[in-house]
Amino acid sequence: MDETQTEPLTDELLDELLAAPNLDSYLGERQPGRRTLSDYLQHLLDKKGLVQSKVLAETEIGYTYGYEIISGRKEHPARDRVLQLVFAMQMDLKESARTLQAAGLSPLSPKNERDAIIIFCVNKGMSMMECNDELVKRGHKALYDPD
């Protein structure tokens, strides 16, 4: 069974935290927030049988910067750069949420129009270019804007 199927839901974790006899027992057992972006991206590359160079070719990040993100040498990548990886790796909504969380970035929110467009595109399995078209058509900045 893969990691995404065995990972407990937030509500389950909250129940465990509230039932814990002390904070050390919960934190010691669960170690929340310890998964790095690099670890999670490597997990997804392996799970999906993807090759880093091919993934990076699908983005506008640039190989050096992209390898730094995936290897963990770039600790605080820009949100749009991480979202480019989301599209290049054909992540679903759960995977994209976990990726943004592992990067320490804000989650996609349906209350934000730009984010809502990105959520729609991820959910429909659209490419980054298709998403960029939708964003620009509605007056938003593309995930990659050369200007």
Side-chain angles (χ1 to χ4, degrees), residues 39-58:
D39 291 342
Y40 191 59
L41 291 175
Q42 288 296 335
H43 163 76
L44 290 177
L45 287 167
D46 294 342
K47 174 184 160 187
K48 295 172 177 267
L50 299 172
V51 177
Q52 284 186 34
S53 59
K54 289 183 180 179
V55 167
L56 294 175
E58 295 292 319

Side-chain angles (χ1 to χ4, degrees), residues 83 86-87 91-93 96 108-128 130-135 137-138 143:
L83 289 169
V86 164
F87 282 98
M91 293 183 200
D92 62 25
L93 286 174
S96 62
L108 292 169
S109 171
K111 292 181 178 182
N112 174 291
E113 185 175 303
R114 184 173 188 263
D115 281 2
I117 295 165
I118 295 168
I119 291 168
F120 179 86
C121 293
V122 168
N123 190 54
K124 295 295 183 183
M126 297 168 77
S127 71
M128 182 179 71
E130 291 171 320
C131 184
N132 281 342
D133 289 345
E134 292 296 329
L135 288 165
K137 182 167 56 174
R138 289 168 172 72
L143 293 173

